[in-house]
């Protein structure tokens, strides 16, 4: 029986690294002067709730990019950690203007 062999626990920080890497797979390299996506995760039993913070170029289809990040993060956490992911919250920390090369430090969620 599986219970007799032991249990595996994956630390929240490990799942967060999986989530951040999944976001990078979607977005590619961060905008010039930007930072790579990072994630915070809360795991309870085999359920992971994920919050991903990222920076995006502007103008772009922000909704489509966030949707792609949500799908990829949920899929990779399921595949690599074997956890259900009912929620992936995406928080846009900064927008980088392609025209001026500057970042807007305002917060958009």
């Amino acid at each position: 029986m599986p219970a007799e062999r032991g249990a595996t626990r994956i630390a929240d920080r490990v799942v967060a690294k999986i989530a951040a890497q999944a976001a990078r797979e979607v977005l590619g390299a961060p905008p010039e002067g930007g930072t790579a996506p990072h994630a915070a995760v809360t795991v309870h039993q085999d359920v992971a709730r994920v919050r991903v913070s990222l920076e995006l170029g502007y103008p772009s289809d922000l909704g489509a990019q966030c949707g792609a990040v949500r799908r990829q993060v949920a899929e990779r956490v399921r595949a690599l950690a074997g956890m259900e992911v009912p929620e992936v919250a995406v928080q846009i920390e900064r927008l980088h203007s392609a025209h001026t090369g500057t970042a807007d430090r305002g917060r958009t969620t």
Side-chain angles (χ1 to χ4, degrees):
M1 300 183 92
E4 293 174 13
R5 292 184 287 221
T8 301
R9 183 181 184 295
I10 301 172
D12 292 12
R13 69 181 179 277
V14 173
V15 180
K17 284 189 178 193
I18 293 169
Q21 176 60 36
R24 284 191 291 275
E25 291 169 2
V26 172
L27 300 174
E32 187 173 331
T35 59
H38 58 278
V41 175
T42 302
V43 176
H44 181 68
Q45 296 177 347
D46 287 335
V47 177
R49 297 200 186 285
V50 181
R51 175 175 297 275
V52 178
S53 298
L54 46 82
E55 299 180 11
L56 297 175
Y58 181 82
S60 64
D61 187 341
L62 303 177
Q65 288 181 341
C66 291
V69 167
R70 282 187 192 94
R71 286 186 296 277
Q72 181 73 357
V73 166
E75 178 182 311
R76 298 297 279 166
V77 170
R78 264 190 231 103
L80 297 176
M83 296 179 179
E84 287 304 311
V85 186
E87 176 183 347
V88 177
V90 177
Q91 182 169 320
I92 302 170
E93 294 287 334
R94 292 172 69 186
L95 295 175
H96 292 265
S97 174
H99 301 295
T100 64
T102 60
D104 177 6
R105 294 194 183 272
R107 192 168 118 177
T108 307
T109 57

